[in-house]
Amino acid sequence: MLIQFGQALSAYFYDTFVAKFDFWLAFGLVAQLLFTARFLVQWISSERAGQSVVPMAFWFFSMGGGLMTLIYGLAKREPVIIIGQGLATLIYIRNIMLILKNRGRGSKTLEN
């Protein structure tokens, strides 16, 4: 039974990542890697600061990865991706606008 499961899993991954490999799969994978990079940037920045911080690069990675994932969803006609990334990308763009607008004023922190 374990051998059959391993063979079925191997066939699934081959079919998903090798047999069906095309431009859109590569594009979607790059989009997901870009989107995931935002968490690495945030984690590294937080470790350096010794507290949780959200650097500007986080929002740019979010926007870039979100836009690419939205394009992928539109090309593949995936309504869940289109709705999720469409709304999220608006939030990323708005956060960038707010940061740029308030850049000269310094950042605000929450009082404990």
Side-chain angles (χ1 to χ4, degrees):
M1 180 171 165
L2 191 57
I3 293 173
Q4 290 174 332
F5 176 74
Q7 290 172 339
L9 189 61
S10 175
Y12 171 81
F13 283 122
Y14 177 82
D15 185 52
T16 302
F17 291 101
V18 177
K20 293 183 179 178
F21 190 84
D22 63 358
F23 169 79
W24 286 112
L25 177 60
F27 186 88
L29 290 171
V30 169
Q32 188 60 46
L33 288 172
L34 184 64
F35 198 69
T36 302
R38 72 193 187 130
F39 291 113
L40 294 174
V41 166
Q42 192 273 332
W43 179 34
I44 292 167
S45 295
S46 293
E47 289 293 335
R48 287 182 178 164
Q51 63 182 353
S52 182
V53 296
V54 181
M56 186 69 164
F58 175 89
W59 296 111
F60 282 113
F61 276 111
S62 296
M63 184 181 64
L67 283 173
M68 287 181 71
T69 304
L70 176 60
I71 291 167
Y72 174 82
L74 290 168
K76 291 296 195 172
R77 298 180 183 205
E78 294 283 345
V80 173
I81 293 174
I82 294 167
I83 292 169
Q85 288 304 318
L87 295 174
T89 301
L90 292 175
I91 294 168
Y92 306 145
I93 292 169
R94 181 61 180 151
N95 272 290
I96 290 171
M97 290 170 59
L98 290 170
I99 291 167
L100 293 176
K101 175 183 171 187
N102 295 309
R103 182 167 268 184
R105 297 182 197 164
S107 57
K108 296 181 180 177
T109 59
L110 296 175
E111 298 294 327
N112 290 336

